[in-house]
Amino acid sequence: MGVLPAASRTLLPEIFQPLMVDEDSSIIDFYPEDFQIDMNGKKMIWEGSRLETLKMLMIGVALLPFIDEQRLLTAMEPLWDELSEMERGRNEMGNDMLFVAQENKLYDTLGETFYAMKEGIEVHSSTYPTNLS
């Protein structure tokens, strides 16, 4: 919730979503609908070439309010108990997985370096479609 805009709230558990959009939320000020973008010295977005304009859109810096971690955690705290077991599990440490297609030129190196040489680690091989178009 400290990095997502309110427009991406559907990526969060439903119980936390109103904190980002409800006007009575104690942290609604963290999620402004309108904000300025610092275009690194350009006065008008269309200054320069079309390519430069596209680059500016990608590198402009959104000027957003500072998110006070304690305020954020305080607003979320009473809602934790309402999370489902699956939602709570998404917020816990788990095992890392690395998916690499057998066709990838690093497949053998990664498998040997990080997996096959480590005792107690199974290397699973599955066939997945590589042409997803």
Side-chain angles (χ1 to χ4, degrees):
M1 292 195 46
V3 296
L4 291 176
S8 297
R9 68 188 175 278
T10 57
L11 299 172
L12 298 171
E14 199 170 324
I15 194 67
F16 292 137
Q17 294 177 23
L19 292 173
M20 301 175 96
V21 293
D22 187 341
E23 58 188 51
D24 294 327
S25 167
S26 63
I27 57 171
I28 190 68
D29 56 306
F30 293 169
Y31 307 101
E33 290 184 24
D34 297 313
F35 50 87
Q36 292 184 338
I37 297 179
D38 180 356
M39 300 307 287
N40 297 319
K42 298 290 183 195
K43 289 185 169 72
M44 301 293 179
I45 196 166
W46 54 84
E47 284 184 9
S49 69
R50 184 174 275 175
L51 179 59
E52 186 176 312
T53 300
L54 289 174
K55 286 180 186 176
M56 293 303 293
L57 288 171
M58 291 186 289
I59 63 170
V61 178
L63 302 176
L64 298 171
F66 175 76
I67 293 187
D68 180 334
E69 179 184 9
Q70 194 53 54
R71 276 185 59 206
L72 176 63
L73 294 175
T74 299
M76 295 173 69
E77 200 275 325
L79 304 172
W80 284 106
D81 290 340
E82 297 184 43
L83 292 174
S84 70
E85 186 177 330
M86 187 166 113
E87 290 168 332
R88 279 192 294 276
R90 288 185 356 199
N91 208 38
E92 294 175 3
M93 295 295 285
N95 295 322
D96 295 333
M97 290 188 185
L98 177 63
F99 294 91
V100 181
Q102 288 179 332
E103 296 80 15
N104 188 302
K105 63 183 178 182
L106 295 175
Y107 179 83
D108 290 329
T109 303
L110 290 170
E112 291 169 9
T113 304
F114 296 109
Y115 297 99
M117 292 182 177
K118 300 207 180 216
E119 197 167 319
I121 304 264
E122 275 185 64
V123 177
H124 297 280
S125 179
S126 298
T127 304
Y128 293 98
T130 56
N131 183 359
L132 301 177
S133 55

